[in-house]
Amino acid sequence: ISDGKCWESAKRLLDLPDLGEDLSTRLLAASGEEASILCKVVKRASTPSLLQAALSDYIQPAALPALVEVLVDWMEAYRDFGNDAVQRAAPELPTQAEIVRFLSALADGCLTSLLRLEGDLLERVAEVLMTADQDRRSQETLYSTMFGLAKTREVLADIKLPQQVPAVEVKLVDF
């Protein structure tokens, strides 16, 4: 497949759920700059430890800067335009969670090679990951607040208030 540059066949293979992490990573390594293969590999469900080992075995250190650059560009697109706009414009792109999962496996599998990358690229990676984490925390806070408000509204709706307020007699006493 890689010798004949049959990337359509590679994409079809990557759609198979039984394809192992090692073979999918070998296809990624052989594809070079083929972004559609990277999309498929990042989107695939995988066992983290097996993906880490496969990335360590098959991704060459020279290919890491371009690979990380594409992943960072995707994360920046999500940051700049939002999930809905990115998914409408490019539905084949992996989600932010899938990109972060893949970056985590890449970091665990290729740590020594990643440490040799250009400092600016590593700063961009750290920045997009921190931004994604802050966005996730903000969404969780908003969700929990909205959930709490909805529950409060339900509780208040269930409370039976009397139709008429009972009369209260007040007497002023001098001391």
Side-chain angles (χ1 to χ4, degrees):
I1 291 175
S2 64
D3 290 341
K5 307 281 188 223
C6 300
W7 303 128
E8 287 304 315
S9 297
K11 288 185 227 175
R12 286 187 182 28
L13 276 174
L14 289 167
D15 288 336
L16 298 173
D18 295 343
L19 187 70
E21 286 83 351
D22 58 338
L23 188 53
S24 63
T25 305
R26 288 175 66 187
L27 288 170
L28 174 63
S31 70
E33 298 293 320
E34 187 67 31
S36 61
I37 300 293
L38 179 58
C39 284
K40 295 258 186 198
V41 171
V42 173
K43 288 179 97 164
R44 285 181 58 80
S46 59
T47 304
S49 59
L50 295 178
L51 182 59
Q52 292 165 15
L55 289 168
S56 175
D57 291 343
Y58 299 113
I59 299 297
Q60 298 298 316
L64 282 175
L67 181 67
V68 171
E69 183 79 36
V70 170
L71 295 168
V72 168
D73 288 345
W74 290 347
M75 289 294 289
E76 287 175 342
Y78 278 109
R79 180 191 65 201
D80 295 342
F81 301 108
N83 288 338
D84 294 337
V86 171
Q87 286 299 308
R88 269 194 316 272
E92 69 281 354
L93 277 184
T95 63
Q96 277 187 308
E98 291 166 334
I99 297 168
V100 169
R101 180 186 51 82
F102 187 82
L103 277 170
S104 176
L106 188 66
D108 289 339
C110 305
L111 184 61
T112 54
S113 298
L114 286 171
L115 291 174
R116 294 186 187 113
L117 290 180
E118 186 178 306
D120 292 341
L121 182 57
L122 292 175
E123 286 179 22
R124 285 180 58 209
V125 171
E127 181 184 334
V128 296
L129 291 175
M130 285 189 296
T131 302
D133 185 52
Q134 289 170 349
D135 290 347
R136 181 194 53 81
R137 288 178 191 212
S138 296
Q139 288 174 352
E140 286 176 354
T141 301
L142 179 62
Y143 175 78
S144 63
T145 302
M146 296 304 290
F147 184 77
L149 287 173
K151 282 295 183 190
T152 303
R153 178 179 257 174
E154 288 175 17
V155 168
L156 290 177
D158 290 342
I159 295 176
K160 302 286 187 202
L161 296 176
Q163 294 297 332
Q164 292 182 344
V165 178
V168 177
E169 195 173 310
V170 178
K171 187 173 189 181
L172 184 60
V173 178
D174 292 326
F175 288 105

